[in-house]
Amino acid sequence: MNLDDVKRLVAQGEGLTIEFKRKVPQAERIAKELIALANTEGGHVFFGVDDDGTITGVKDAVEEEYALLEAINQRCVPPLSFELERVFVKGRRDVLVLFIPKSPKRPHYLVHEDGQRVAYLRVDEMSVEASKEAIRIMKAERDPTDTSFRFGDNELKLMRYLDAYGRITVDQYADLAGIPRKVASQTLVLMVRARVLDFHANDRQDFFTTAVAGTSAS
């Protein structure tokens, strides 16, 4: 990648697959964002680019690379796959370009200082904590075996609700069907695995919609 490539990608602005950083932030913070990318659609992180897209470069690329690799190696489990490039800007300044692919090993987790492990997903330009449903769906994707189930009264109620309102949350389905939240969650995840529903991560509350051909869960 050269500077023209960087300018072209940066011009797209921050979003689901692009993130700008003036420098490598504190380890826990950057690891969280890299994990969110790997658990969603992957993407590029540009170090040495301001929030407004101004390309400034970092002062000490070697030091920044060291901090970045420390965060990846110590805070991300399982280990992330990535590609890291250094692109010359001017003087002694470079942009570090980190590419994180969508991971076949997801979910990845951030290891906090207290040892707690938390998975994150990318929603637009934000990194949000993954729900239990999201984690189950990511784990299920490791098994390519087709999943099927029978439509019962509760599932038919669900599909009629989706025809009317377009989306539903776990809590809404539990109320609609008069079933425990745990059962509602398991049913919705099963229907995603059977490709009847699509899952959508959200910064407020995840939701489900009728599956559209050619789409997949986040």
Side-chain angles (χ1 to χ4, degrees), residues 2 4 26 31 42 55 66 73 77 84 91-92 95 97 127 136 148 175 179-180 193 196 218:
N2 57 38
D4 286 338
Q26 183 263 349
I55 300 172
Y66 178 81
N73 292 331
V77 293
L84 180 61
R92 295 183 177 181
V95 170
V97 183
S127 298
R136 291 191 191 110
S148 61
D175 290 341
I179 56 179
R193 294 183 62 190
V196 176
S218 296

Side-chain angles (χ1 to χ4, degrees), residues 177-192:
I179 56 179
R181 190 188 189 282
K182 181 177 180 180
V183 176
S185 172
Q186 292 171 340
T187 302
L188 291 170
V189 169
L190 180 62
M191 293 178 76
V192 170

Side-chain angles (χ1 to χ4, degrees), residues 90-107:
K90 60 181 178 180
R92 295 183 177 181
R93 289 183 173 268
D94 303 276
V95 170
L96 297 181
V97 183
L98 181 70
F99 174 68
I100 301 285
K102 180 177 180 179
S103 177
K105 297 180 181 179
R106 64 187 201 152

Side-chain angles (χ1 to χ4, degrees), residues 138-170:
M138 286 189 280
K139 287 180 177 179
E141 287 180 345
R142 299 174 182 173
D143 180 6
T145 305
D146 288 338
T147 301
S148 61
F149 73 101
R150 287 187 178 184
F151 273 94
D153 290 341
N154 288 337
E155 288 77 18
L156 292 174
K157 286 180 184 178
L158 168 64
M159 300 310 291
R160 285 196 292 267
Y161 184 96
L162 289 173
D163 284 342
Y165 299 102
R167 62 169 66 181
I168 195 167
T169 67
V170 175

Side-chain angles (χ1 to χ4, degrees), residues 10 14 18-26 29-34 37 44-58 64 68 94-96 98 122 125 127:
V10 166
E14 290 185 296
I18 295 179
E19 177 74 21
F20 302 155
K21 296 294 180 189
R22 186 161 192 158
K23 59 181 294 185
V24 176
Q26 183 263 349
R29 179 181 169 193
I30 189 57
K32 171 183 173 181
E33 298 190 18
L34 302 184
L37 286 170
H44 289 86
V45 184
F46 296 90
F47 300 93
V49 178
D50 289 342
D51 288 341
D52 64 0
T54 301
I55 300 172
T56 58
V58 296
E64 297 293 324
L68 179 58
D94 303 276
V95 170
L96 297 181
L98 181 70
R122 187 87 167 169
E125 72 280 3
S127 298

